[in-house]
Amino acid sequence: EEMTRKPKPKPIVQHKKLTKTERKRVISEFHCLLKEKQAIISNISPSPSRTKSIASVDLRLKELGGINKYQDASRQGKQQKYFDTAKWSFKYLRTCPSFSPFFSSSSSSSSSGGVTEGKKQRIKLIDVGSIDDPFRKHSAVICVDAIDINPRKPSVKKQNFMETKGKWDVVVLSLVVNFLPDPVQRADMIFQATKCLHARSEINVDEDEEEDQQQKKNIPGHLIMILPRPCVDNSRYLTHEHLIKILNAMGFDLQHYHASPKLVFYV
């Protein structure tokens, strides 16, 4: 009797490097096609013509290269701009008073800027739309759940954030809200973050724990949201001030804001 061989895991294919013009074209066309598809779904009642129109858009998305090509363009763009979501977020968390117990001076620093293993608690963080799982390098101080609808690394879980259940100290939405084609979907994603955030007061901590451990249970949930700057600077429908009002209405209080030439950061 012949032994059945297990199929070898498919390697993660690295597509060829795209030029700046190609990256912009892929990202722009992908977003336009998603918006076109959403408009068809929202404005046309179910019918054979609607099915045909959706199939036509799906074919054009496939010809463009699909979500893999979009992710490659997005990832290569970040690399060219030397932008690292985890690096920026980690730097903020280190300087945020709420998270100071996790970076206590009594803990030895690691080469990545974190702390050594052995701490009783780590910051619980969910990275939504995590292509490369960038927070993994800070695992000494951050317990990360990396999810994506189209994971490209084994450590990233295939999961839709809108169906996610659980509680975290930090939710990271880095360049994913703008990926959604419909304003309602974008608002729903941000509101979903409110359901996934908790304060440390929800966690049981023994009374005889050290003071820094006691402090850790009082940390409010933090949302880190990163958007392309044109979303608030060049949009006909949204401004920075309007976005702040939306976030306040959902229960968020702006703790930190930063704008680079290409991106805006909200905490």
Side-chain angles (χ1 to χ4, degrees), residues 151-199:
R152 305 291 293 276
K153 294 188 77 172
S155 59
V156 180
K157 182 179 179 181
K158 183 178 178 64
Q159 188 169 322
N160 185 339
F161 179 57
M162 301 306 296
E163 300 170 0
T164 298
K165 294 181 180 180
K167 294 287 187 177
W168 288 267
D169 302 316
V170 181
V171 172
V172 177
L173 302 178
S174 177
L175 302 178
V176 291
V177 174
N178 55 291
F179 174 81
L180 297 172
D182 182 74
V184 175
Q185 292 177 342
R186 296 170 197 154
D188 286 344
M189 173 172 276
I190 298 173
F191 189 70
Q192 173 69 6
T194 67
K195 302 177 184 178
C196 294
L197 288 169
H198 64 55

Side-chain angles (χ1 to χ4, degrees), residues 190 241-255:
I190 298 173
E241 292 75 18
H242 188 199
L243 179 57
I244 296 301
K245 289 181 180 179
I246 293 173
L247 292 171
N248 289 341
M250 291 186 182
F252 291 109
D253 292 319
L254 185 66
Q255 301 297 308

